[in-house]
Amino acid sequence: SEGGNIVFKEEEGIDYAPTTVQLPGGERVPFLFTVKELVAKGNGGSFKPGFQMGGDFSVPSYRTGLFLDPKGRGGVTGYDMAVALPGLQSGEEGDAEMFKENNKTFDIGAGRIEMEVNKVNSEESEIGGVFVASQSGDTDMGSKVPKKILTKGIFYAKVE
């Protein structure tokens, strides 16, 4: 607790899930559903219906440096340019338009979550409620502008 208010800190465990959503029209948007390094501060010193907490978290890249795209390019392994397009990438011409595709990055974005407790089971030390979170989607290792992802749902926690 901080100043009498509850503070929740995510410290370890499986704190992410690779996820893909499909937008109307068929476009698929991958993102890493996560609360990595979340520090959520509450509005009181005890869990009860109506208790609210929220905070910021880190959003690691959906793909790691070992991921290879269909052309064999990766962040730490693979080719440094698309093997099928050497005429476009002479080192002098064509490199500018292919720069983001060829130079993969591991981006770390930011997210925010707000939670509200609506059920408390004191005997079992359990709480449940609803959440709303916003975060960025996948950048395809730096080559695309990420879409903003808004998720809503219910949560459950065992408090120790």
Short mmCIF file of all heavy atoms in Angstrom, two decimals, residues 80-118:
data_model
loop_
_atom_site.label_atom_id
_atom_site.label_comp_id
_atom_site.label_asym_id
_atom_site.label_seq_id
_atom_site.Cartn_x
_atom_site.Cartn_y
_atom_site.Cartn_z
N ASP A 80 19.45 -9.49 -44.25
CA ASP A 80 19.28 -8.07 -43.95
C ASP A 80 18.52 -7.33 -45.05
O ASP A 80 18.31 -6.13 -44.97
CB ASP A 80 20.64 -7.40 -43.70
CG ASP A 80 21.57 -7.47 -44.89
OD1 ASP A 80 21.20 -8.10 -45.89
OD2 ASP A 80 22.66 -6.90 -44.82
N MET A 81 18.12 -8.04 -46.09
CA MET A 81 17.28 -7.46 -47.13
C MET A 81 16.50 -8.60 -47.78
O MET A 81 16.83 -9.76 -47.60
CB MET A 81 18.10 -6.72 -48.18
CG MET A 81 19.06 -7.57 -48.97
SD MET A 81 19.95 -6.51 -50.09
CE MET A 81 20.47 -7.68 -51.30
N ALA A 82 15.45 -8.23 -48.49
CA ALA A 82 14.62 -9.25 -49.13
C ALA A 82 15.42 -9.88 -50.26
O ALA A 82 15.82 -9.21 -51.21
CB ALA A 82 13.34 -8.62 -49.66
N VAL A 83 15.68 -11.16 -50.16
CA VAL A 83 16.51 -11.86 -51.12
C VAL A 83 15.91 -11.82 -52.53
O VAL A 83 16.62 -11.77 -53.52
CB VAL A 83 16.74 -13.32 -50.66
CG1 VAL A 83 17.59 -14.08 -51.65
CG2 VAL A 83 17.39 -13.33 -49.29
N ALA A 84 14.60 -11.77 -52.62
CA ALA A 84 13.95 -11.77 -53.93
C ALA A 84 13.96 -10.40 -54.62
O ALA A 84 13.57 -10.29 -55.76
CB ALA A 84 12.50 -12.24 -53.79
N LEU A 85 14.42 -9.37 -53.91
CA LEU A 85 14.37 -8.02 -54.47
C LEU A 85 15.74 -7.34 -54.52
O LEU A 85 15.84 -6.15 -54.25
CB LEU A 85 13.41 -7.15 -53.63
CG LEU A 85 11.99 -7.68 -53.50
CD1 LEU A 85 11.22 -6.86 -52.48
CD2 LEU A 85 11.28 -7.69 -54.82
N PRO A 86 16.82 -8.01 -54.89
CA PRO A 86 18.14 -7.37 -54.84
C PRO A 86 18.27 -6.20 -55.81
O PRO A 86 19.01 -5.26 -55.55
CB PRO A 86 19.12 -8.49 -55.17
CG PRO A 86 18.31 -9.50 -55.91
CD PRO A 86 16.93 -9.39 -55.35
N GLY A 87 17.54 -6.22 -56.92
CA GLY A 87 17.63 -5.11 -57.87
C GLY A 87 17.09 -3.81 -57.31
O GLY A 87 17.51 -2.73 -57.72
N LEU A 88 16.18 -3.90 -56.37
CA LEU A 88 15.62 -2.70 -55.74
C LEU A 88 16.49 -2.17 -54.61
O LEU A 88 16.31 -1.08 -54.14
CB LEU A 88 14.23 -3.00 -55.16
CG LEU A 88 13.08 -3.13 -56.13
CD1 LEU A 88 11.81 -3.51 -55.37
CD2 LEU A 88 12.85 -1.83 -56.88
N GLN A 89 17.44 -2.99 -54.16
CA GLN A 89 18.21 -2.63 -52.98
C GLN A 89 19.70 -2.70 -53.28
O GLN A 89 20.41 -3.53 -52.76
CB GLN A 89 17.85 -3.59 -51.83
CG GLN A 89 16.37 -3.54 -51.54
CD GLN A 89 15.92 -4.70 -50.69
OE1 GLN A 89 15.45 -4.48 -49.59
NE2 GLN A 89 16.07 -5.90 -51.17
N SER A 90 20.15 -1.80 -54.08
CA SER A 90 21.55 -1.81 -54.52
C SER A 90 22.47 -1.13 -53.53
O SER A 90 23.68 -1.11 -53.71
CB SER A 90 21.67 -1.10 -55.87
OG SER A 90 21.29 0.27 -55.73
N GLY A 91 21.92 -0.55 -52.49
CA GLY A 91 22.74 0.23 -51.57
C GLY A 91 22.70 1.69 -51.94
O GLY A 91 23.13 2.54 -51.19
N GLU A 92 22.20 1.98 -53.12
CA GLU A 92 22.11 3.37 -53.57
C GLU A 92 20.66 3.75 -53.88
O GLU A 92 20.22 4.84 -53.56
CB GLU A 92 22.97 3.57 -54.83
CG GLU A 92 24.45 3.36 -54.56
CD GLU A 92 25.26 3.43 -55.83
OE1 GLU A 92 24.76 3.93 -56.84
OE2 GLU A 92 26.41 2.99 -55.78
N GLU A 93 19.94 2.84 -54.52
CA GLU A 93 18.56 3.13 -54.90
C GLU A 93 17.63 2.09 -54.32
O GLU A 93 17.99 0.93 -54.18
CB GLU A 93 18.42 3.13 -56.43
CG GLU A 93 19.21 4.21 -57.12
CD GLU A 93 19.07 4.12 -58.62
OE1 GLU A 93 18.12 3.49 -59.10
OE2 GLU A 93 19.93 4.68 -59.31
N GLY A 94 16.42 2.51 -53.99
CA GLY A 94 15.41 1.58 -53.51
C GLY A 94 15.49 1.29 -52.03
O GLY A 94 14.54 0.78 -51.46
N ASP A 95 16.60 1.60 -51.39
CA ASP A 95 16.74 1.29 -49.97
C ASP A 95 15.80 2.11 -49.11
O ASP A 95 15.29 1.62 -48.11
CB ASP A 95 18.18 1.51 -49.50
CG ASP A 95 19.10 0.39 -49.95
OD1 ASP A 95 18.59 -0.70 -50.27
OD2 ASP A 95 20.32 0.62 -49.99
N ALA A 96 15.54 3.36 -49.48
CA ALA A 96 14.69 4.23 -48.65
C ALA A 96 13.28 3.66 -48.52
O ALA A 96 12.72 3.62 -47.42
CB ALA A 96 14.64 5.63 -49.23
N GLU A 97 12.70 3.19 -49.62
CA GLU A 97 11.34 2.67 -49.55
C GLU A 97 11.26 1.32 -48.86
O GLU A 97 10.20 0.90 -48.40
CB GLU A 97 10.70 2.63 -50.93
CG GLU A 97 11.42 1.74 -51.92
CD GLU A 97 10.93 1.95 -53.34
OE1 GLU A 97 11.07 3.06 -53.86
OE2 GLU A 97 10.43 0.96 -53.91
N MET A 98 12.36 0.60 -48.78
CA MET A 98 12.38 -0.71 -48.12
C MET A 98 13.02 -0.66 -46.73
O MET A 98 13.14 -1.68 -46.07
CB MET A 98 13.15 -1.71 -48.99
CG MET A 98 12.57 -1.96 -50.37
SD MET A 98 10.94 -2.70 -50.32
CE MET A 98 11.33 -4.32 -49.74
N PHE A 99 13.44 0.54 -46.28
CA PHE A 99 14.20 0.66 -45.04
C PHE A 99 13.49 0.01 -43.84
O PHE A 99 14.07 -0.80 -43.12
CB PHE A 99 14.51 2.12 -44.72
CG PHE A 99 15.35 2.29 -43.49
CD1 PHE A 99 16.73 2.13 -43.56
CD2 PHE A 99 14.77 2.57 -42.26
CE1 PHE A 99 17.51 2.26 -42.42
CE2 PHE A 99 15.55 2.70 -41.12
CZ PHE A 99 16.92 2.55 -41.20
N LYS A 100 12.23 0.35 -43.60
CA LYS A 100 11.52 -0.18 -42.44
C LYS A 100 11.29 -1.68 -42.56
O LYS A 100 11.27 -2.40 -41.55
CB LYS A 100 10.20 0.55 -42.24
CG LYS A 100 10.38 1.95 -41.71
CD LYS A 100 9.05 2.59 -41.43
CE LYS A 100 9.24 3.95 -40.81
NZ LYS A 100 7.96 4.61 -40.52
N GLU A 101 11.09 -2.18 -43.77
CA GLU A 101 10.91 -3.62 -43.95
C GLU A 101 12.21 -4.38 -43.70
O GLU A 101 12.20 -5.49 -43.18
CB GLU A 101 10.41 -3.92 -45.37
CG GLU A 101 8.97 -3.53 -45.61
CD GLU A 101 7.97 -4.41 -44.89
OE1 GLU A 101 8.31 -5.55 -44.51
OE2 GLU A 101 6.84 -3.94 -44.68
N ASN A 102 13.33 -3.80 -44.08
CA ASN A 102 14.62 -4.49 -43.94
C ASN A 102 15.26 -4.32 -42.56
O ASN A 102 16.04 -5.16 -42.14
CB ASN A 102 15.61 -3.97 -45.00
CG ASN A 102 15.26 -4.47 -46.38
OD1 ASN A 102 14.61 -5.49 -46.54
ND2 ASN A 102 15.68 -3.73 -47.39
N ASN A 103 14.98 -3.23 -41.88
CA ASN A 103 15.60 -2.93 -40.59
C ASN A 103 14.60 -3.15 -39.47
O ASN A 103 13.91 -2.24 -39.03
CB ASN A 103 16.14 -1.50 -40.58
CG ASN A 103 17.25 -1.34 -41.59
OD1 ASN A 103 18.37 -1.76 -41.34
ND2 ASN A 103 16.94 -0.77 -42.73
N LYS A 104 14.51 -4.38 -39.01
CA LYS A 104 13.55 -4.79 -38.00
C LYS A 104 13.93 -4.22 -36.64
O LYS A 104 15.10 -4.13 -36.29
CB LYS A 104 13.46 -6.31 -37.92
CG LYS A 104 13.11 -6.99 -39.24
CD LYS A 104 11.75 -6.60 -39.72
CE LYS A 104 11.36 -7.36 -40.97
NZ LYS A 104 10.10 -6.92 -41.51
N THR A 105 12.91 -3.84 -35.86
CA THR A 105 13.14 -3.32 -34.52
C THR A 105 12.25 -4.05 -33.53
O THR A 105 11.20 -4.58 -33.89
CB THR A 105 12.81 -1.81 -34.44
OG1 THR A 105 11.44 -1.61 -34.80
CG2 THR A 105 13.71 -1.00 -35.36
N PHE A 106 12.67 -4.09 -32.28
CA PHE A 106 11.86 -4.65 -31.19
C PHE A 106 11.29 -3.46 -30.44
O PHE A 106 11.97 -2.84 -29.63
CB PHE A 106 12.72 -5.53 -30.27
CG PHE A 106 11.92 -6.23 -29.21
CD1 PHE A 106 11.27 -7.42 -29.48
CD2 PHE A 106 11.79 -5.69 -27.94
CE1 PHE A 106 10.52 -8.07 -28.52
CE2 PHE A 106 11.05 -6.32 -26.96
CZ PHE A 106 10.42 -7.52 -27.25
N ASP A 107 10.07 -3.09 -30.75
CA ASP A 107 9.44 -1.93 -30.15
C ASP A 107 8.79 -2.28 -28.82
O ASP A 107 8.19 -3.33 -28.67
CB ASP A 107 8.36 -1.36 -31.08
CG ASP A 107 8.93 -0.90 -32.41
OD1 ASP A 107 10.03 -0.33 -32.39
OD2 ASP A 107 8.27 -1.10 -33.44
N ILE A 108 8.89 -1.36 -27.86
CA ILE A 108 8.19 -1.49 -26.60
C ILE A 108 7.29 -0.28 -26.46
O ILE A 108 7.76 0.85 -26.42
CB ILE A 108 9.15 -1.61 -25.40
CG1 ILE A 108 10.01 -2.86 -25.55
CG2 ILE A 108 8.37 -1.63 -24.09
CD1 ILE A 108 11.03 -3.06 -24.47
N GLY A 109 5.98 -0.54 -26.43
CA GLY A 109 5.01 0.53 -26.32
C GLY A 109 4.48 0.65 -24.90
O GLY A 109 4.99 0.04 -23.97
N ALA A 110 3.44 1.45 -24.76
CA ALA A 110 2.83 1.67 -23.45
C ALA A 110 1.34 1.38 -23.53
O ALA A 110 0.72 1.53 -24.57
CB ALA A 110 3.06 3.11 -23.00
N GLY A 111 0.80 0.95 -22.41
CA GLY A 111 -0.62 0.70 -22.31
C GLY A 111 -1.15 1.23 -20.99
O GLY A 111 -0.40 1.62 -20.11
N ARG A 112 -2.46 1.26 -20.87
CA ARG A 112 -3.11 1.73 -19.65
C ARG A 112 -4.34 0.87 -19.39
O ARG A 112 -5.04 0.49 -20.32
CB ARG A 112 -3.52 3.19 -19.81
CG ARG A 112 -4.33 3.74 -18.67
CD ARG A 112 -3.69 4.97 -18.06
NE ARG A 112 -4.40 5.35 -16.84
CZ ARG A 112 -3.85 5.34 -15.65
NH1 ARG A 112 -2.60 5.01 -15.51
NH2 ARG A 112 -4.53 5.68 -14.59
N ILE A 113 -4.57 0.55 -18.11
CA ILE A 113 -5.74 -0.24 -17.73
C ILE A 113 -6.44 0.42 -16.54
O ILE A 113 -5.78 1.01 -15.68
CB ILE A 113 -5.33 -1.71 -17.38
CG1 ILE A 113 -6.56 -2.59 -17.22
CG2 ILE A 113 -4.45 -1.74 -16.16
CD1 ILE A 113 -6.25 -4.08 -17.17
N GLU A 114 -7.76 0.32 -16.55
CA GLU A 114 -8.59 0.77 -15.43
C GLU A 114 -9.45 -0.42 -15.03
O GLU A 114 -10.04 -1.08 -15.90
CB GLU A 114 -9.48 1.95 -15.84
CG GLU A 114 -8.72 3.19 -16.26
CD GLU A 114 -7.95 3.86 -15.14
OE1 GLU A 114 -8.36 3.74 -13.96
OE2 GLU A 114 -6.91 4.48 -15.43
N MET A 115 -9.53 -0.70 -13.73
CA MET A 115 -10.29 -1.84 -13.24
C MET A 115 -11.23 -1.40 -12.12
O MET A 115 -10.92 -0.48 -11.37
CB MET A 115 -9.33 -2.91 -12.68
CG MET A 115 -8.39 -3.48 -13.71
SD MET A 115 -7.19 -4.62 -13.01
CE MET A 115 -5.91 -3.50 -12.53
N GLU A 116 -12.37 -2.08 -12.05
CA GLU A 116 -13.30 -1.83 -10.95
C GLU A 116 -13.76 -3.16 -10.38
O GLU A 116 -14.24 -4.04 -11.10
CB GLU A 116 -14.51 -1.03 -11.41
CG GLU A 116 -15.47 -0.73 -10.27
CD GLU A 116 -16.60 0.20 -10.64
OE1 GLU A 116 -16.44 1.01 -11.57
OE2 GLU A 116 -17.65 0.11 -9.98
N VAL A 117 -13.60 -3.30 -9.06
CA VAL A 117 -14.02 -4.51 -8.36
C VAL A 117 -15.53 -4.47 -8.18
O VAL A 117 -16.08 -3.45 -7.77
CB VAL A 117 -13.31 -4.62 -6.99
CG1 VAL A 117 -13.86 -5.77 -6.16
CG2 VAL A 117 -11.81 -4.76 -7.17
N ASN A 118 -16.22 -5.59 -8.51
CA ASN A 118 -17.66 -5.63 -8.25
C ASN A 118 -18.06 -6.86 -7.42
O ASN A 118 -19.21 -6.97 -7.04
CB ASN A 118 -18.48 -5.52 -9.54
CG ASN A 118 -18.15 -6.56 -10.56
OD1 ASN A 118 -17.67 -7.64 -10.24
ND2 ASN A 118 -18.39 -6.25 -11.82
#
